[in-house]
Amino acid sequence: MRNALRLGAYQLRYLDGVPPAVAVDASVELARRYGHAGTAALANAVLRAFARGHREVGFPDPEADPVGHLSLAESHPPWLVRRWLARYGFEDTRALLAYDNAAPPLVVRANALRTTPQALFARLASEGVEARPGRYLAEALVLAGHPALEELPSFRAGLFQVQDESSMLAALVVDPRPGELVLDVAAAPGGKTTHLAERMADRGRIVACDLHPGRLRLVEENCRRLGVTCVETLVADGRALPERFAGQADRVLLDAPCSGLGVLNRRADARWRKREEDIGRLAALQRELLDAAARCVRPGGVLVYTTCTTEAEENEEVCRAFLETHPGFAPEGLEPFLPPALATEPGAAAGHLQLLPFRHGVDGFFVARFRRRA
């Protein structure tokens, strides 16, 4: 019943193209269908009164109740607002919440195996698609005014892959070389996997692992479309990978399952499904996966850990715990692998980088690099 009223109120308040009588009647019909004559009469009375003279919602005072104010004004759960206020302060938290509520940009990565960013820009223009360069990486383009991607000949020809610019940093930090063995743990849907293959000139062996066969099919589809041949998929729990690859991989990328709090603008309902206790549970899983990934790295090899969350418990604290229990690994500075605008960010020299939407203008993302001692 609340949802029927909310739908009607939303149409009356925000959708100028829907006549008030139509909006009211639609909710009355919903109330009758899922209730009875009495609930239909209630919906009719409430929404007609609302249509006659609704008032703006009053928000709590931001100084007296900043959590209540931002939670209501920016539509985020109070527990999350409280966490971010403690970490970032009022203005940065408000900017982060506003970023979550804005439409996410559509960012694509030019497929280096088949084109260049300049050639892709021209090709997209010929297809009627407006594009502009990304913020940090040459291979990134931001699209606007585009049709469905599947309708674009350039997409079907495998000239680009959809991937946010922040997550493109993963392949740069892994820095794979042609001919190497690379493990991509939790690889689906394949944006990072195919980027690794491009950086290796499609020469070598990438094993893309995931727990779910259906998600691995997305990796295979993307590889076929992009012309990538050096990737093989493996259905496996990342924690079991040492049984097959112990001490063998030149480089391992663990894009760990996380709370996803850095990409809430791409998952509209996620903020309401997440719980604060999920963060600790996920951090425990991340530590297990990182331990298993480390055992797959050969002496002298590289281990890269990434998430799409903003939370220190899943990022810096996981890395700190890892180094305390794995003396055979050392953090490695990120400056040689990052674009100049990010190379001087706090933490980069110490081997990790946290991107924040309100500060960097891209999805929230964390990356850390470790080297196994020879």
Side-chain angles (χ1 to χ4, degrees):
M1 186 62 201
R2 278 196 298 269
N3 284 337
L5 290 170
R6 286 166 175 159
L7 287 167
Y10 178 83
Q11 292 179 83
L12 290 168
R13 175 65 181 85
Y14 295 107
L15 302 187
D16 295 337
V18 179
V22 174
V24 172
D25 288 346
S27 287
V28 169
E29 179 57 34
L30 285 173
R32 180 179 292 110
R33 184 185 309 170
Y34 295 102
H36 48 75
T39 54
L42 175 63
N44 184 63
V46 169
L47 292 176
R48 286 188 181 280
F50 184 84
R52 282 195 299 271
H54 62 266
R55 295 181 296 120
E56 294 290 342
V57 175
F59 298 133
D61 181 77
E63 293 187 5
D65 183 10
V67 173
H69 175 86
L70 289 175
S71 177
L72 185 59
E74 301 294 345
S75 189
H76 278 68
W79 70 264
L80 185 55
V81 174
R82 189 177 300 110
R83 285 178 67 89
W84 286 350
L85 277 173
R87 182 172 299 154
Y88 305 122
F90 188 86
E91 291 304 326
D92 284 347
T93 296
R94 181 162 59 182
L96 179 52
L97 302 177
Y99 185 92
D100 289 348
N101 291 333
L106 177 61
V107 186
V108 302
R109 185 191 76 240
N111 178 8
L113 301 177
R114 291 185 169 174
T115 189
T116 65
Q118 296 78 14
L120 177 60
F121 185 90
R123 174 69 177 268
L124 288 169
S126 72
E127 295 173 354
V129 179
E130 180 185 346
R132 58 178 171 83
R135 284 175 175 262
Y136 303 109
L137 279 71
E139 57 262 52
L141 293 176
V142 183
L143 307 191
H146 57 85
L149 292 180
E150 293 79 4
E151 297 176 3
L152 294 178
S154 54
F155 177 81
R156 296 196 299 269
L159 301 187
F160 65 85
Q161 170 67 25
V162 175
Q163 185 181 17
D164 188 73
E165 196 168 359
S166 61
S167 74
M168 296 182 201
L169 295 177
L172 273 65
V173 173
V174 173
D175 192 32
R177 308 298 171 85
E180 290 185 331
L181 169 61
V182 179
L183 295 187
D184 187 358
V185 185
K192 298 179 184 68
T193 309
T194 53
H195 199 190
L196 290 168
E198 292 171 27
R199 305 285 295 186
M200 297 167 65
D202 202 29
R203 300 201 304 272
R205 181 187 179 202
I206 299 176
V207 181
C209 313
D210 204 275
L211 191 58
H212 305 286
R215 287 176 57 77
L216 278 178
R217 284 194 286 274
L218 298 175
V219 179
E220 295 165 354
E221 291 169 7
N222 280 320
C223 286
R224 282 193 294 271
R225 184 177 56 81
L226 297 169
V228 170
T229 62
C230 71
V231 172
E232 60 187 74
T233 56
L234 174 65
V235 178
D237 187 322
R239 293 168 290 190
L241 290 178
E243 298 171 9
R244 188 177 303 205
F245 296 104
Q248 297 180 41
D250 298 291
R251 300 170 198 263
V252 177
L253 169 61
L254 170 58
D255 185 37
C258 68
S259 60
L261 296 179
V263 291
L264 291 180
N265 63 337
R266 300 184 183 277
R267 302 165 188 171
D269 64 324
R271 70 190 69 177
W272 304 114
R273 291 187 288 105
K274 306 292 183 182
R275 298 291 180 267
E276 191 163 17
E277 54 268 26
D278 293 342
I279 294 172
R281 175 181 57 80
L282 286 164
L285 173 61
Q286 290 152 4
R287 290 192 293 270
E288 291 180 34
L289 287 167
L290 192 54
D291 173 74
R295 286 186 279 153
C296 297
V297 180
R298 67 162 176 80
V302 171
L303 171 63
V304 172
Y305 174 78
T306 67
T307 72
C308 58
T309 186
T310 54
E311 303 312 287
E313 296 96 320
E314 301 178 79
N315 296 335
E316 293 93 340
E317 291 181 20
V318 167
C319 293
R320 189 178 304 116
F322 171 76
L323 290 171
E324 289 173 356
T325 55
H326 294 77
F329 283 81
E332 199 160 57
L334 303 184
E335 304 103 311
F337 314 107
L338 296 176
L342 297 176
T344 57
E345 285 289 314
H352 63 268
L353 174 68
Q354 175 71 70
L355 296 180
L356 297 168
F358 65 84
R359 184 173 298 156
H360 301 99
V362 294
D363 286 353
F365 188 77
F366 178 83
V367 58
R369 177 181 165 110
F370 309 97
R371 173 83 66 173
R372 182 175 178 185
R373 303 182 197 278

